Amino acid sequence: MTNPNIKVNIAEVELKNPVMTASGTFGSGREYGEYVDLNKLGAVVVKGVAKEPWDGNPTPRIAETYGGMLNSVGLQNPGVDEFIEKDIPFLRQFDTKIIVNIAGKSIEDYCEVAKKLIKADIDLIELNISCPNVKAGGVNFGTDPAMVEEVTKAVKKVAKQPLIVKLTPNVTDIVAIAKAAVRGGADALSLINTLLGMAIDIHKRKPILANTVGGLSGPAIKPVALRMVYQVANAVDVPIIGMGGIANGEDAVEFILAGASAVAVGTANFNNPTATIDVIDEVKEYMDKYNVENLDDIRGKLL
Amino acid sequence: MTNPNIKVNIAEVELKNPVMTASGTFGSGREYGEYVDLNKLGAVVVKGVAKEPWDGNPTPRIAETYGGMLNSVGLQNPGVDEFIEKDIPFLRQFDTKIIVNIAGKSIEDYCEVAKKLIKADIDLIELNISCPNVKAGGVNFGTDPAMVEEVTKAVKKVAKQPLIVKLTPNVTDIVAIAKAAVRGGADALSLINTLLGMAIDIHKRKPILANTVGGLSGPAIKPVALRMVYQVANAVDVPIIGMGGIANGEDAVEFILAGASAVAVGTANFNNPTATIDVIDEVKEYMDKYNVENLDDIRGKLL
Amino acid sequence: MKQTHKVKIVDNVEISPGIYKIDLLFKEIVESAKAGQFVNMYTNSSGSLLPRPISISQINKEKNVLTIVYAVVGKGTKALSEMKIGDEVKVLGPLGNGFNIPKEAENHIVIGGGIGAPPLVELVKQLKGNIEVYLGFRSNPILIEEFKEYGAKVYVATEDGSVGIKGNVRDILKEKNLKADMIYSCGPKPMLKAIAKYATENGIKAQVSMEERMACGIGACVGCTCKTKKKEEVQNKKVCKDGPVFYSEEVVWND
Amino acid sequence: MKQTHKVKIVDNVEISPGIYKIDLLFKEIVESAKAGQFVNMYTNSSGSLLPRPISISQINKEKNVLTIVYAVVGKGTKALSEMKIGDEVKVLGPLGNGFNIPKEAENHIVIGGGIGAPPLVELVKQLKGNIEVYLGFRSNPILIEEFKEYGAKVYVATEDGSVGIKGNVRDILKEKNLKADMIYSCGPKPMLKAIAKYATENGIKAQVSMEERMACGIGACVGCTCKTKKKEEVQNKKVCKDGPVFYSEEVVWND
Ligand SMILES: Cc1cc2nc3c(=O)[nH]c(=O)nc-3n(C[C@H](O)[C@H](O)[C@H](O)COP(=O)(O)OP(=O)(O)OC[C@H]3O[C@@H](n4cnc5c(N)ncnc54)[C@H](O)[C@@H]3O)c2cc1C
Ligand SMILES: Cc1cc2nc3c(=O)[nH]c(=O)nc-3n(C[C@H](O)[C@H](O)[C@H](O)COP(=O)(O)OP(=O)(O)OC[C@H]3O[C@@H](n4cnc5c(N)ncnc54)[C@H](O)[C@@H]3O)c2cc1C
Ligand SMILES: Cc1cc2nc3c(=O)[nH]c(=O)nc-3n(C[C@H](O)[C@H](O)[C@H](O)COP(=O)(O)O)c2cc1C
Ligand SMILES: Cc1cc2nc3c(=O)[nH]c(=O)nc-3n(C[C@H](O)[C@H](O)[C@H](O)COP(=O)(O)O)c2cc1C
Ligand code: FES
Ligand code: FES
């Protein structure tokens, strides 16, 4: 195998390869670190952190659906302080980039997390304005262009690290939202977060999730994710991190052809703990097979 | 097996059971009529018809995705005149209700079809304001509450038969759209139509669909469909016809528990030509197992 | 009522790299199936719901066996290739219209390209008169012996020149001055287009078996259209229901 | 690095209506696996992506065999039940923390409800001292002989009264005046809750094996939380990683 160039650059941060973990599916890397060599990942995107600990939603929080799953974790997290203290030193042992996904219920919340991260040794911030599980705010931010612009602007102002804004797919016009984030100063965009869904246990006659609804992820949503990445890549100039159902190298290549600079692997980890590494290897195999020396040669290059 | 009461009433039209075909997946019943006894269906919902013949999109029009498929048929149809002449007499041979799905590129288009159907021997009209494959208009109608209300009102005014409005899921707030349709005079609502999606052939480096994007259907979208039916059923008072990934009786019962009065089976027909009949039988089995005598006893009745 | 059938696999062998021949015990359809028709194979491999349309390659009425030959190109055909003798697979068919064999035709030219060859075997078996079979492959030819067995003169071209003439079927067409009452063909679209042109220019009738991505396979979803013309009127026909075999002059080729 | 393994099925039998015992040739983990831990089974049945957590029922280090016992309740366990001897299945494990067997404990009470019984077999095998096993089932009891074989006194209750006492484990608890150093239990939540109450009231320590819907099974997704308390502080622990076995006093039972 030749050694194709798969480095990517997201807002001046160079990743050794385009494969990262999708926030919330990989903890802070500790658990999957027993299964994959974290040094091999382009970046680890950690579970969303808020300014203080969140309990999340009641259980059951997980439901399986055809080709996917629903989660209503509700952004349970130990808060940014504990995260900074415990997880950053752990992750910094590895030669990979650290992307911190931040959650909040108000603009002030988000800003406070970003401020606390100013001194933290991390590479990028991913602003999650799209989690459907937080009733208090998240969902509104992500679905209204004006709000998206406002929150992005506010966080951008206080954040030291470059800012990725993660978009929700539960909108009529993803391009309008993406443009708003870019206007607000987003250095990059992540898409997509989960689709809002539901599942019912017909024997108990109850929703499976204690929270009634939850976020749909996995291969089932890939066509929607790919379409949105394609639309947004053709409308904005910032790099895009594509995700939604990516389980192998072929999936990743689809996103790159659609215009993604990098990709994230989420739900696939649950089916295959080494999914991230497999994706990296298979992207290289694809490049090899078609003599693609540089990822840039195919990024967004649909024929 | 006892004989549970599974009759349903949609805008004063009584269906012998809650299972109908999803528009566009069953032609006008002629082809599947070789596989299923059309007399057994609650209703046949025919492929969308426009005021004049439409060519539809170039091929390929079909792509398979994980747990689903994309189509970009683009509402190819022979026009309402030919439909009235050939398909209605065929369908009227059977003891089932006829629901005509109508397509258009403008309010006038829709109204013209509805007018031509005034004298036609059909039971209900389903207004498709949601097909993502028609660039000229459809998609705009379905995603804007004001437009939804306007087109519904206009068609309701000229239509003789009760009017079902079929909603697109590609919106931020399905409840707002549903309410607009009801304000416009919808006698019932169908949801959901397909999610806009895309698939790429990484070997040819081209979108699989000639039209680049298409509508995602099948089990993959069921959680989204179920969530929307649930949300809308809790917000409006008209009957809802639920669809999106229904492949068996258990799926149908989920929709009924979520609040659907009836259900439609689409993509599942392609995997199993007798899917509609199987769904009917399995709904009855479920009712039997749990001693449910009447569908009304479980409709919308989540515990 | 027609229905899908769970049929038993009595053979499933790789006859050439990546090409498999599967024999199905399928007594329900051997009487009615025609050369050029196809079946829908439901493999239900992970996450896969649509049927795979595969042409009927041979029909054995005595043994109640239907033979299909398929190339492994994706997950459905991969799943098929992994099925074992004795396994059951869900099948629907026969579907579509087969080749039309005019009673009065005596001189037949049969042209197959690659995985377009299999459906032509049953056709050749049923043809009476002089049969010339022209086959083009990238490299490893398949089914040559079968065509010979049924009395055809077989000409082969391979792109790598490993067997027969180096080149493709179009090259043979250019060289030879074929005369016949009917051409029957199946293969990649550019080949079929060239045959259509050749047929028109030489005043021979030609039948072409078309391929298109399908969902239902029975004419209900309008997914698999083929642009055709009748006099000046252009019309979308359905490959699954009105085809897959069309007369070449019907087809609108410009794309 | 840890990894998933494709392991061979050496037995898969229905030991009671709808209950199967599967033996896996799984030498990679027999040394390290503990009673009360579980494995993730990846059946990849149609459209199904999440692993199924199933407790380890027995470990045979000599034969390198890991035994699990499962009830067929949905599509994953259905797919498992259809697998044959010689088939391979993807498994990850051992996962979670097993039962804690204090060295000084001499009198053990082991309580299982329904499909909660299997993980207790390996536990009983490893316990030393006096072991009383209380098992409750709806109707058909399972694994009674296994518990006896490993030296336990076994008491059975069935809801339909077909075997043992008519009633459930809670009824036995009420009647008997159990004295022990440790209670180990696995079963439906209401049963575990009753045991927790009983344990507190009687000043006995109790371990409970909890169940929750899971995605990753290794502590990364925070899907499977269990509310626990430490003094007054309430905290979400992960059933997959911090459990599935907890001390009953840790668990917040009010829901
Ligand atoms: C009428 C007809 C007859 C055919 N006869 C044969 C035959 O005898 N032998 C043979 O090897 N192949 C034949 N094909 C092609 C065969 O249908 C495809 O190779 C097969 O569907 C690929 O499935 P897959 O799951 O392996 O590939 P995937 O790429 O995983 O399939 C994904 C989807 O695309 C569709 N698809 C992919 N390639 C094609 C194609 N070339 N044509 C139509 N649909 C496609 C699949 O059906 C499926 O829906 C025929 C096609 C048609 C339309
Ligand atoms: C730690 C642990 C140990 C277990 N040990 C055993 C055992 O030894 N024997 C046994 O028969 N069962 C055991 N279970 C329950 C077992 O995991 C479920 O019965 C099984 O996952 C059902 O899968 P299915 O595909 O058949 O059902 P489906 O209903 O089709 O499953 C759909 C989804 O729900 C999940 N799910 C459904 N029921 C449960 C449940 N009760 N607990 C957790 N997840 C569930 C599935 O894992 C899957 O993700 C255990 C569960 C846990 C958490
Ligand atoms: C269990 C779970 C937890 C998640 N938590 C977060 C989160 O904390 N922050 C966030 O931005 N996205 C979160 N997501 C969304 C994923 O990062 C990702 O956008 C989505 O799952 C689609 O990718 P996938 O299909 O590869 O999983 C979560 C997803 C899952 C399945
Ligand atoms: C091939 C195809 C054609 C369709 N054509 C129409 C149509 O003409 N009018 C319409 O309202 N919906 C159309 N739909 C949408 C379906 O009626 C249905 O809303 C959708 O497919 C979701 O249901 P399913 O998952 O059961 O297929 C079409 C769907 C498919 C797959
Ligand atoms: S595949 Fe449905 S009409 Fe041909
Ligand atoms: S299942 Fe993921 S944390 Fe327990």
Side-chain angles (χ1 to χ4, degrees):
Chain A
M1 197 153 96
T2 60
N3 213 347
N5 175 12
I6 55 172
K7 289 194 190 114
V8 299
N9 199 298
I10 307 278
E12 308 294 301
V13 177
E14 191 183 85
L15 278 54
K16 63 174 66 153
N17 67 56
V19 180
M20 47 182 86
T21 63
S23 176
T25 65
F26 209 78
S28 286
R30 220 179 282 269
E31 294 81 12
Y32 279 105
E34 298 183 18
Y35 298 86
V36 302
D37 180 355
L38 301 179
N39 293 300
K40 291 195 177 160
L41 300 178
V44 171
V45 184
V46 305
K47 171 81 193 156
V49 290
K51 67 171 191 207
E52 52 210 12
W54 286 6
D55 277 351
N57 289 318
T59 56
R61 295 177 170 186
I62 304 287
E64 190 180 64
T65 66
Y66 199 106
M69 61 174 278
L70 294 166
N71 89 78
S72 58
V73 169
L75 289 170
Q76 176 184 329
N77 79 90
V80 62
D81 295 328
E82 182 172 328
F83 169 78
I84 292 175
E85 188 189 327
K86 292 196 187 155
D87 290 333
I88 297 181
F90 167 78
L91 278 169
R92 264 297 169 243
Q93 299 172 275
F94 302 94
D95 177 22
T96 188
K97 300 301 174 189
I98 303 176
I99 303 181
V100 180
N101 182 279
I102 68 175
K105 288 171 186 162
S106 66
I107 294 187
E108 296 69 42
D109 278 8
Y110 285 115
C111 290
E112 202 164 320
V113 185
K115 274 186 213 153
K116 291 203 178 181
L117 288 169
I118 287 176
K119 295 219 183 88
D121 184 12
I122 63 164
D123 298 292
L124 291 150
I125 291 178
E126 184 179 61
L127 182 66
N128 176 19
I129 48 168
S130 48
C131 181
N133 292 323
V134 181
K135 285 185 196 122
V139 74
N140 299 321
F141 285 112
T143 57
D144 176 62
M147 293 280 272
V148 169
E149 185 173 345
E150 193 185 336
V151 66
T152 306
K153 213 173 252 167
V155 176
K156 180 70 194 166
K157 210 165 176 179
V158 296
K160 188 190 124 205
Q161 295 86 359
L163 187 66
I164 305 165
V165 177
K166 182 161 178 181
L167 309 184
T168 171
N170 300 300
V171 297
T172 306
D173 184 355
I174 192 72
V175 170
I177 304 286
K179 285 185 174 165
V182 172
R183 273 198 310 274
D187 299 296
L189 300 175
S190 278
L191 52 157
I192 60 174
N193 211 311
T194 53
L195 285 164
L196 195 60
M198 179 174 177
I200 291 174
D201 183 327
I202 61 168
H203 306 292
K204 298 190 181 145
R205 288 199 206 163
K206 289 207 298 197
I208 294 181
L209 300 175
N211 192 47
T212 306
V213 296
L216 180 65
S217 60
I221 70 169
K222 199 185 75 173
V224 174
L226 199 63
R227 182 262 296 183
M228 290 189 166
V229 166
Y230 173 81
Q231 288 178 322
V232 171
N234 284 295
V236 303
D237 276 330
V238 301
I240 292 169
I241 301 158
M243 70 202 72
I246 295 176
N248 55 46
E250 304 204 346
D251 295 333
V253 171
E254 279 192 75
F255 277 86
I256 292 164
L257 286 167
S261 290
V263 296
V265 177
T267 302
N269 294 301
F270 307 152
N271 182 258
N272 170 17
T274 60
T276 44
I277 304 296
D278 295 350
V279 169
I280 297 169
D281 291 343
E282 289 162 14
V283 167
K284 281 196 211 154
E285 278 167 34
Y286 173 85
M287 292 176 73
D288 244 36
K289 179 169 168 193
Y290 289 103
N291 292 310
V292 178
E293 281 169 25
N294 206 304
L295 261 191
D296 296 337
D297 299 341
I298 58 168
R299 176 168 308 112
K301 300 256 165 67
L302 284 173
L303 302 178
Chain B
M1 196 154 96
T2 59
N3 214 349
N5 176 13
I6 56 172
K7 289 196 192 112
V8 299
N9 199 299
I10 307 278
E12 308 295 300
V13 177
E14 190 183 85
L15 277 54
K16 63 173 68 151
N17 67 56
V19 180
M20 47 181 87
T21 63
S23 175
T25 65
F26 210 77
S28 286
R30 219 178 282 268
E31 295 81 12
Y32 278 105
E34 297 185 17
Y35 299 86
V36 302
D37 180 355
L38 300 179
N39 293 302
K40 291 193 176 162
L41 300 178
V44 171
V45 183
V46 305
K47 170 82 191 155
V49 290
K51 68 170 188 202
E52 52 209 12
W54 286 7
D55 276 350
N57 289 318
T59 57
R61 294 177 171 186
I62 305 286
E64 190 182 67
T65 66
Y66 199 106
M69 62 172 280
L70 294 166
N71 89 79
S72 59
V73 167
L75 288 171
Q76 177 184 326
N77 78 90
V80 62
D81 294 328
E82 183 172 326
F83 167 79
I84 292 174
E85 188 188 327
K86 292 197 186 157
D87 290 332
I88 296 180
F90 167 78
L91 278 170
R92 266 295 169 243
Q93 298 173 273
F94 303 94
D95 176 24
T96 187
K97 300 300 173 190
I98 304 176
I99 303 181
V100 181
N101 182 279
I102 68 175
K105 288 170 184 161
S106 66
I107 293 186
E108 295 70 42
D109 278 9
Y110 285 114
C111 290
E112 201 163 323
V113 184
K115 274 186 213 151
K116 290 202 178 182
L117 287 168
I118 286 176
K119 296 218 183 90
D121 184 13
I122 62 167
D123 299 292
L124 290 151
I125 291 179
E126 183 180 61
L127 182 65
N128 175 17
I129 49 168
S130 50
C131 181
N133 291 323
V134 180
K135 284 182 194 124
V139 73
N140 300 321
F141 284 113
T143 57
D144 177 61
M147 293 280 272
V148 169
E149 185 173 345
E150 193 185 336
V151 66
T152 306
K153 212 173 254 166
V155 176
K156 181 69 196 166
K157 211 166 177 177
V158 295
K160 187 190 124 206
Q161 297 85 0
L163 187 66
I164 305 164
V165 177
K166 181 161 177 183
L167 309 184
T168 170
N170 300 298
V171 297
T172 306
D173 185 355
I174 193 71
V175 169
I177 303 287
K179 285 185 174 164
V182 172
R183 273 197 310 273
D187 298 297
L189 300 175
S190 278
L191 52 156
I192 62 174
N193 209 310
T194 55
L195 284 165
L196 194 60
M198 179 175 178
I200 290 174
D201 183 327
I202 63 168
H203 306 292
K204 297 191 181 144
R205 286 198 206 162
K206 288 207 298 199
I208 293 181
L209 300 175
N211 191 47
T212 307
V213 296
L216 181 65
S217 61
I221 69 168
K222 198 185 78 174
V224 175
L226 199 63
R227 181 261 297 179
M228 291 187 165
V229 166
Y230 174 80
Q231 289 178 321
V232 172
N234 284 295
V236 303
D237 276 330
V238 301
I240 292 169
I241 301 159
M243 70 201 73
I246 296 175
N248 54 47
E250 304 205 345
D251 296 333
V253 171
E254 279 192 76
F255 278 86
I256 292 165
L257 285 167
S261 290
V263 296
V265 177
T267 302
N269 294 301
F270 306 153
N271 182 258
N272 170 17
T274 59
T276 44
I277 303 296
D278 295 351
V279 168
I280 297 169
D281 291 344
E282 290 162 14
V283 167
K284 280 196 212 151
E285 277 167 33
Y286 173 88
M287 293 176 72
D288 244 34
K289 181 170 166 190
Y290 290 101
N291 292 313
V292 179
E293 281 170 26
N294 206 305
L295 261 190
D296 296 338
D297 299 340
I298 58 168
R299 177 169 308 111
K301 302 253 165 69
L302 284 173
L303 303 178
Chain C
M1 293 273 130
K2 293 190 195 170
Q3 61 181 93
T4 57
H5 294 274
K6 285 230 161 197
V7 304
K8 193 166 272 182
I9 295 173
V10 291
D11 201 12
N12 192 8
V13 287
E14 190 166 10
I15 58 171
S16 173
I19 312 282
Y20 286 72
K21 181 176 87 55
I22 214 167
D23 286 343
L24 303 169
L25 202 61
F26 200 174
K27 69 165 186 300
E28 292 85 354
I29 77 163
V30 287
E31 282 303 327
S32 62
K34 291 203 201 86
Q37 287 189 304
F38 67 99
V39 291
N40 263 353
M41 309 285 299
Y42 302 80
T43 66
N44 287 11
S45 50
S46 69
S48 168
L49 298 165
L50 296 180
R52 270 52 183 165
I54 309 277
S55 297
I56 291 168
S57 178
Q58 284 194 65
I59 304 161
N60 185 326
K61 295 188 191 173
E62 288 75 46
K63 295 195 176 153
N64 288 326
V65 163
L66 195 89
T67 301
I68 64 173
V69 175
Y70 61 96
V72 173
V73 299
K75 67 179 179 178
T77 48
K78 176 118 197 301
L80 259 190
S81 74
E82 285 162 358
M83 296 189 82
K84 300 191 190 76
I85 294 177
D87 286 353
E88 286 190 329
V89 58
K90 198 169 96 178
V91 188
L92 181 70
L95 301 172
N97 297 309
F99 288 104
N100 185 12
I101 307 181
K103 284 228 179 72
E104 63 291 356
E106 269 184 15
N107 297 301
H108 311 280
I109 289 178
V110 175
I111 308 178
I115 199 64
L120 303 171
V121 176
E122 182 62 29
L123 171 76
V124 164
K125 208 163 110 183
Q126 295 181 10
L127 289 177
K128 290 188 181 73
N130 302 317
I131 314 167
E132 292 187 2
V133 174
Y134 296 86
L135 300 172
F137 300 95
R138 203 155 296 165
S139 51
N140 305 296
I142 52 168
L143 304 170
I144 307 290
E145 291 315 309
E146 279 81 350
F147 284 110
K148 286 186 180 160
E149 193 186 321
Y150 297 121
K153 252 199 193 156
V154 182
Y155 303 88
V156 178
T158 52
E159 282 176 25
D160 63 2
S162 57
V163 181
I165 292 166
K166 185 176 161 79
N168 62 30
V169 173
R170 276 170 280 172
D171 297 321
I172 315 188
L173 284 186
K174 254 180 262 160
E175 269 174 40
K176 291 228 171 190
N177 198 3
L178 307 180
K179 283 287 160 246
D181 305 314
M182 183 68 78
I183 297 177
Y184 312 82
S185 60
C186 184
K189 204 161 180 185
M191 182 192 101
L192 299 182
K193 191 174 171 178
I195 290 169
K197 189 161 169 270
Y198 181 91
T200 313
E201 286 168 4
N202 293 273
I204 314 176
K205 281 231 160 210
Q207 295 175 43
V208 293
S209 179
M210 306 293 284
E211 216 176 85
E212 194 47 73
R213 294 202 177 224
M214 296 181 173
C216 69
I218 66 167
C221 75
V222 213
C224 65
T225 46
C226 171
K227 239 188 218 151
T228 62
K229 57 173 182 290
K230 207 173 175 185
K231 289 183 187 148
E232 284 315 291
E233 205 194 329
V234 173
Q235 195 197 344
N236 276 336
K237 286 204 171 180
K238 298 166 188 166
V239 172
C240 68
K241 179 101 180 170
D242 306 316
V245 180
F246 295 92
Y247 279 98
S248 68
E249 66 213 17
E250 263 186 297
V251 176
V252 176
W253 291 100
N254 51 334
D255 61 319
Chain D
M1 293 273 129
K2 292 189 194 171
Q3 62 183 92
T4 57
H5 294 273
K6 286 229 158 196
V7 304
K8 194 167 271 179
I9 295 173
V10 291
D11 201 12
N12 193 8
V13 287
E14 190 166 10
I15 58 171
S16 172
I19 313 281
Y20 287 72
K21 181 177 87 56
I22 212 167
D23 286 343
L24 303 169
L25 201 61
F26 199 175
K27 70 165 184 303
E28 292 85 352
I29 76 163
V30 287
E31 282 303 327
S32 62
K34 293 202 201 84
Q37 288 188 304
F38 69 97
V39 291
N40 262 354
M41 308 287 298
Y42 302 80
T43 65
N44 288 10
S45 50
S46 72
S48 167
L49 297 164
L50 296 180
R52 270 51 183 166
I54 309 276
S55 297
I56 292 169
S57 178
Q58 283 193 67
I59 305 161
N60 186 326
K61 294 188 191 174
E62 289 75 47
K63 295 195 177 153
N64 289 325
V65 163
L66 196 89
T67 302
I68 63 173
V69 175
Y70 60 97
V72 173
V73 298
K75 68 179 176 177
T77 47
K78 176 120 197 297
L80 259 189
S81 73
E82 285 162 358
M83 296 188 83
K84 299 190 189 77
I85 293 176
D87 285 354
E88 286 190 329
V89 58
K90 198 168 96 177
V91 188
L92 181 69
L95 301 173
N97 298 309
F99 288 104
N100 185 13
I101 308 181
K103 283 227 182 70
E104 64 289 356
E106 269 183 17
N107 296 302
H108 310 281
I109 289 178
V110 175
I111 309 177
I115 198 65
L120 303 172
V121 177
E122 182 61 29
L123 172 77
V124 165
K125 208 162 110 184
Q126 295 180 9
L127 289 177
K128 290 185 184 74
N130 302 319
I131 315 167
E132 293 188 0
V133 175
Y134 297 85
L135 300 172
F137 299 94
R138 201 153 300 164
S139 51
N140 306 295
I142 52 169
L143 303 170
I144 308 290
E145 291 315 308
E146 280 82 348
F147 285 110
K148 286 187 180 159
E149 192 186 324
Y150 298 121
K153 253 198 189 155
V154 182
Y155 303 88
V156 178
T158 50
E159 282 176 26
D160 63 2
S162 56
V163 182
I165 294 165
K166 184 173 160 81
N168 62 31
V169 174
R170 274 171 282 172
D171 296 321
I172 315 189
L173 284 185
K174 254 181 264 159
E175 271 176 38
K176 291 227 170 191
N177 198 4
L178 307 179
K179 281 291 160 244
D181 305 315
M182 182 68 78
I183 296 176
Y184 311 83
S185 60
C186 185
K189 206 162 179 184
M191 181 191 101
L192 299 182
K193 192 172 170 181
I195 291 169
K197 186 158 171 271
Y198 182 91
T200 314
E201 286 168 4
N202 293 272
I204 314 175
K205 282 229 158 208
Q207 296 175 42
V208 292
S209 181
M210 306 292 286
E211 216 178 81
E212 194 45 75
R213 293 202 177 225
M214 296 181 174
C216 69
I218 65 168
C221 75
V222 212
C224 64
T225 47
C226 170
K227 240 187 218 153
T228 62
K229 56 175 184 286
K230 208 176 173 181
K231 289 181 188 154
E232 283 316 290
E233 204 193 330
V234 173
Q235 195 194 346
N236 276 336
K237 285 204 172 181
K238 297 166 188 167
V239 173
C240 67
K241 178 98 180 172
D242 306 317
V245 180
F246 294 92
Y247 279 97
S248 67
E249 66 214 16
E250 264 185 295
V251 177
V252 176
W253 292 101
N254 51 332
D255 63 319

